[in-house]
Amino acid sequence: YIHTFYFGFAMLLFSALFVLFSSSQAACPFPNGTDTEINMYSCGTSADTISINSYTLTDLAGKPLYPINPSLPFVIDMHSFNSGPAYTDVKVSVRIFEYQKSWTTGKCAWAEIPTFGALDNIDACDFADNCPWEHGDLDLNMELDFSSYSSIISMLTKNAAIQLQLTIKNYNAGSKHEEIGCFIGQMKIA
């Protein structure tokens, strides 16, 4: 029972600190043009084999969408290129950041939102139902539904800029689970 008390107290303390962090968001402007459109770029290395040429965000009916509501499903269509082999088993890990004013420095910066491993090694083939990723041009049309991650979504400040960092790894048989792509998507959430 004592262990449960300490865990509960730690979670309460964490929640209070997060609210304190989030309360200073209003003072930060939207970075990198995210007030009007998504900003997406590569964060990978020269050894990565998956690159993005263009991307669009839409609702499930195909209507352009911005800002996004992370509680509702949406579609990201990434026109990409695979300079490597065909990938039949792909895992993605996602890190979430929110642009906010630091309560320690007073400066606006990207602060990571803890996910406690909930978004690590997601099976991209099952999640997006778009494998194999063949060599050459790829149209990675992915329906994203984060509603099952409501505990993480509830930590995000409404009308704020968030950043998703997606690290993509090869899990083909015989691979060393090497990174094949890394992308940053910065966007406004409603």
Side-chain angles (χ1 to χ4, degrees):
Y1 294 109
I2 292 173
H3 178 48
T4 303
F5 169 78
Y6 285 121
F7 179 75
F9 180 75
M11 291 307 292
L12 180 64
L13 181 62
F14 172 76
S15 297
L17 287 173
F18 187 80
V19 168
L20 183 61
F21 252 118
S22 298
S23 65
S24 59
Q25 166 62 28
C28 293
F30 284 94
N32 307 320
T34 54
D35 54 330
T36 58
E37 65 185 3
I38 186 173
N39 179 37
M40 192 170 229
Y41 59 91
S42 173
C43 55
T45 69
S46 59
D48 287 356
T49 57
I50 304 294
S51 60
I52 295 178
N53 300 324
S54 65
Y55 50 86
T56 58
L57 287 174
T58 65
D59 63 15
L60 296 180
K63 183 178 164 187
L65 178 70
Y66 200 80
I68 66 158
N69 180 341
S71 299
L72 299 173
F74 63 96
V75 175
I76 184 165
D77 188 13
M78 295 189 302
H79 296 276
S80 307
F81 188 80
N82 176 8
S83 61
Y87 297 108
T88 57
D89 193 357
V90 180
K91 303 279 192 281
V92 176
S93 292
V94 180
R95 295 172 63 196
I96 301 174
F97 301 81
E98 187 171 316
Y99 197 69
Q100 54 190 223
K101 190 173 192 178
S102 168
W103 59 278
T104 57
T105 67
K107 296 181 180 179
C108 295
W110 293 106
E112 187 164 7
I113 305 300
T115 60
F116 305 103
L119 301 176
D120 291 349
N121 294 319
I122 298 168
D123 189 321
C125 295
D126 284 346
F127 190 79
D129 193 27
N130 61 5
C131 284
W133 293 4
E134 299 292 347
H135 178 84
D137 289 325
L138 297 172
D139 185 11
L140 301 177
N141 192 343
M142 297 178 284
E143 182 179 319
L144 302 177
D145 184 354
F146 295 114
S147 60
S148 60
Y149 301 105
S150 60
S151 60
I152 295 169
I153 292 170
S154 68
M155 290 192 282
L156 301 174
T157 305
K158 292 184 180 357
N159 197 31
I162 64 164
Q163 174 176 288
L164 302 178
Q165 178 180 330
L166 295 92
T167 303
I168 306 167
K169 293 188 177 180
N170 172 15
Y171 270 67
N172 284 356
S175 74
K176 295 180 180 169
H177 304 169
E178 65 275 4
E179 178 181 306
I180 57 173
C182 181
F183 306 101
I184 299 282
Q186 299 171 336
M187 63 202 79
K188 179 179 180 179
I189 60 170

